[in-house]
Amino acid sequence: MEKLKPPVEKNEYIDVAFEDLTHDGAGVAKVNGFPVFVQNALPGESGQVKVIKVKKGYAFGKLIKHHTISEQRVEAPCPVYKQCGGCQLQHVSYEGQLQFKQKQVKDVMARIGHLPDVPVHSTLGMNDPWRYRNKAQVPVAEREGGLVAGFYQQRSHDIINMDACLIQQQANDDVVQAVRSICEKHDVSAYQEQKHKGSLRHIMARYGLVTGEIMVVIVTRTAELPNKKRIIEDIIEAVPNVKSIVQNVNSKRTNVILGNQTNVLWGEEYIYDYIGDVKFAISAKSFYQVNPEQTKVLYDKALEYADLTGEETVIDAYCGIGTISLFLAQKAKKVYGVEIVPEAIEDAKRNAELNGIHNAEFEVGEAEVVIPNWYKQGIKADVIVVDPPRKGCDEALLNTIIDMKPKKVVYVSCGPATLARDLAILEKGGYETVEVQPVDMFPHTTHVENVAVLKLK
Ligand code: SAH
């Protein structure tokens, strides 16, 4: 068979119209059906593009100039938007972002899930989609004798200084600036990645949205911290709501931010926050949703879909620190949570106790192993909630669900493509996807979270 020749060549200049966005926010133009991906181009726009790389089934281009501009294009408010790469959609109006996310989910439902008719609702967005993140983790470097704290320039390990991150809680920005200047004043050296020398690696801040409590985490290469006492005094003075100051020691050559050893320098080991009525204890290393306001929106939807009367047995697979389990436990007879990370299960148990919730049980292990065991022991759920990582559910788990036949499955997902794939499997196994609700947990990024509900046919 003759190989189809791509209709574009490297270094060629072409005039194109953009008709779509990829899942990572690049514009898509088609040349005789052949897709060309171009950064900073939006559907509805046209422009001149230089072809920079040609692959078998697609090409990459660089936008040279716009011919027409989309109504949804806005000026990105962040001055370092392009260098940072943490956000990908600041050049799109917020309304446009929500529409883009809904369309992306609709597309994968049709293409991967073979569910072209399943209702995908409008994305639930934030009233104020800025300064939502409750956790900052900022790398530190030395420049001209002083310290800079900011972000890694895209595709490099150079740290660019940053005074403000517009998706970060203001309190976290303030902590980072204060701790940077306090450490500078007390001659703390910055970690040098190349030489594996120096001390201060990252400044981390965690913020309880409801409680206003703040945790400061100083991540250093060794346990030693010069002028420790004065650093602590200065932080207490500079950060009004600080409840916890901890040092985390990470002595490894690694991109992983936190090491194994955490020492409380002052105050508590935990700060607290609420999602709805449920109180959570958060340590330096605890997993906790980064946008608690939208987490509430997402879990309220999951709870609505679960439609509990108080009589049900519920399984929460991939339960993390038990966030969804504890939400559901208030409305169910019994909840079983399973999660692979032992520390998360410890947090889940602590959080259950903290809230006086006694009808939730947690087990460490792989959902695809633990849930089939439960089933063998006679545990049968009326409702199963799953909230897997981006790669989706293990097929063994989906098969157990199909055997166990809960009346409802509520699927919380951070990966639309794997959600669609897994829905198709459950549909074959006797379930019907009733509807899908996208929720915007991460405004200005391309991430989209969904909750879907299925009922037994
Ligand atoms: N439901 C939780 C967290 C969901 S994130 C919340 O809302 O806070 C997905 C979780 O799945 C992570 O905590 C991860 O550690 C866990 N995980 C990954 N693979 C797993 C597996 N095979 N079995 C059980 N848990 C797993």
Side-chain angles (χ1 to χ4, degrees):
M1 206 174 78
E2 202 188 347
K3 228 166 83 186
L4 265 181
K5 203 170 160 288
V8 296
E9 272 176 27
K10 188 172 168 172
N11 294 332
E12 189 185 352
Y13 286 80
I14 50 177
D15 289 304
V16 294
F18 296 98
E19 41 191 86
D20 208 349
L21 274 181
T22 62
H23 65 90
D24 52 4
V28 186
K30 297 259 175 78
V31 179
N32 302 336
F34 186 85
V36 182
F37 303 124
V38 181
Q39 289 297 330
N40 192 30
L42 297 179
E45 295 185 335
S46 60
Q48 187 187 43
V49 166
K50 182 181 181 186
V51 178
I52 49 179
K53 196 187 236 173
V54 182
K55 300 281 212 176
K56 233 192 218 159
Y58 55 93
F60 294 100
K62 183 173 186 272
L63 187 71
I64 302 299
K65 63 171 183 237
H66 275 106
H67 298 321
T68 56
I69 297 279
S70 163
E71 277 174 11
Q72 279 169 345
R73 178 174 288 278
V74 295
E75 192 74 45
C78 174
V80 291
Y81 171 54
K82 282 194 182 141
Q83 288 158 286
C84 167
C87 294
Q88 304 83 38
L89 294 177
Q90 280 198 19
H91 63 295
V92 185
S93 71
Y94 191 51
E95 196 43 48
Q97 294 181 24
L98 297 177
Q99 285 168 15
F100 156 62
K101 292 181 183 190
Q102 180 190 22
K103 177 174 183 297
Q104 198 204 330
V105 177
K106 270 193 177 153
D107 288 351
V108 292
M109 284 302 143
R111 190 161 45 83
I112 300 173
H114 311 295
L115 297 165
D117 301 322
V118 73
V120 175
H121 298 296
S122 301
T123 311
L124 295 174
M126 301 184 77
N127 289 333
D128 176 9
W130 298 98
R131 294 207 168 276
Y132 58 85
R133 285 187 66 95
N134 61 5
K135 180 169 87 171
Q137 307 180 102
V138 180
V140 180
E142 233 156 81
R143 284 280 187 321
E144 287 141 22
L147 296 179
V148 294
F151 58 90
Y152 293 109
Q153 183 159 29
Q154 282 196 72
R155 289 179 286 275
S156 94
H157 277 217
D158 290 342
I159 293 169
I160 311 261
N161 193 51
M162 174 172 54
D163 303 322
C165 170
L166 301 182
I167 61 169
Q168 196 57 251
Q169 288 287 343
Q170 182 69 52
N172 288 345
D173 267 354
D174 294 347
V175 166
V176 172
Q177 290 310 319
V179 174
R180 187 201 59 78
S181 87
I182 290 165
C183 286
E184 188 173 86
K185 173 175 142 199
H186 293 295
D187 296 323
V188 179
S189 62
Y191 176 63
Q192 294 166 278
E193 201 179 1
Q194 297 288 330
K195 298 182 185 151
H196 196 54
K197 283 203 175 131
S199 179
L200 183 59
R201 297 177 71 130
H202 279 81
I203 299 167
M204 178 171 165
R206 305 196 79 159
Y207 175 75
L209 180 67
V210 175
T211 59
E213 296 181 357
I214 290 173
M215 172 182 282
V216 175
V217 185
I218 300 172
V219 187
T220 54
R221 182 179 62 89
T222 61
E224 189 191 344
L225 184 63
N227 301 314
K228 194 186 276 182
K229 200 162 158 272
R230 282 155 67 200
I231 290 174
I232 295 167
E233 284 165 6
D234 284 0
I235 292 175
I236 295 167
E237 188 172 325
V239 183
N241 255 335
V242 65
K243 290 285 182 293
S244 166
I245 304 174
V246 307
Q247 179 185 7
N248 176 275
V249 183
N250 185 355
S251 56
K252 295 203 180 120
R253 279 182 185 266
T254 168
N255 290 334
V256 177
I257 294 174
L258 294 178
N260 291 329
Q261 188 190 338
T262 304
N263 310 324
V264 178
L265 299 180
W266 178 85
E268 312 290 326
E269 184 184 350
Y270 297 96
I271 59 166
Y272 295 94
D273 197 22
Y274 289 85
I275 297 177
D277 297 332
V278 186
K279 188 175 186 180
F280 292 91
I282 305 159
S283 70
K285 292 190 89 172
S286 293
F287 172 84
Y288 186 64
Q289 294 280 357
V290 297
N291 183 343
E293 186 182 333
Q294 288 300 88
T295 301
K296 166 108 174 39
V297 173
L298 182 73
Y299 293 173
D300 276 340
K301 207 50 178 178
L303 195 61
E304 179 194 317
Y305 284 161
D307 193 23
L308 301 174
T309 63
E311 290 305 311
E312 294 84 358
T313 299
V314 181
I315 289 177
D316 179 16
Y318 311 90
C319 70
I321 59 165
T323 339
I324 299 178
S325 316
L326 300 179
F327 231 63
L328 296 166
Q330 299 166 313
K331 299 267 165 67
K333 187 162 99 198
K334 177 89 195 195
V335 177
Y336 295 91
V338 54
E339 156 66 42
I340 202 167
V341 176
E343 293 83 5
I345 288 291
E346 278 167 38
D347 281 354
K349 288 178 178 168
R350 179 179 307 104
N351 289 329
E353 206 159 299
L354 190 64
N355 289 281
I357 292 175
H358 302 295
N359 59 341
E361 242 178 69
F362 296 98
E363 191 170 323
V364 180
E366 290 172 312
E368 60 272 24
V369 174
V370 171
I371 295 174
N373 277 340
W374 284 344
Y375 187 42
K376 273 188 215 137
Q377 290 162 29
I379 295 169
K380 217 174 155 295
D382 302 296
V383 178
I384 294 191
V385 179
V386 299
D387 182 7
R390 206 162 300 169
K391 68 175 187 203
C393 291
D394 192 282
E395 210 164 338
L397 173 63
L398 296 173
N399 288 332
T400 303
I401 294 175
I402 289 165
D403 288 344
M404 199 189 274
K405 295 191 172 49
K407 285 190 302 255
K408 281 200 165 156
V409 178
V410 179
Y411 195 135
V412 181
S413 156
C414 55
T418 54
L419 170 66
R421 178 200 69 197
D422 292 351
L423 292 183
I425 295 172
L426 291 168
E427 289 260 343
K428 265 202 198 124
Y431 282 88
E432 182 190 333
T433 309
V434 182
E435 57 188 71
V436 181
Q437 176 63 63
V439 179
D440 194 23
M441 298 277 274
F442 309 102
H444 313 296
T445 76
T446 50
H447 297 289
V448 53
E449 198 93 8
N450 285 282
V451 52
V453 59
L454 300 95
K455 64 170 194 237
L456 193 62
K457 270 192 255 187

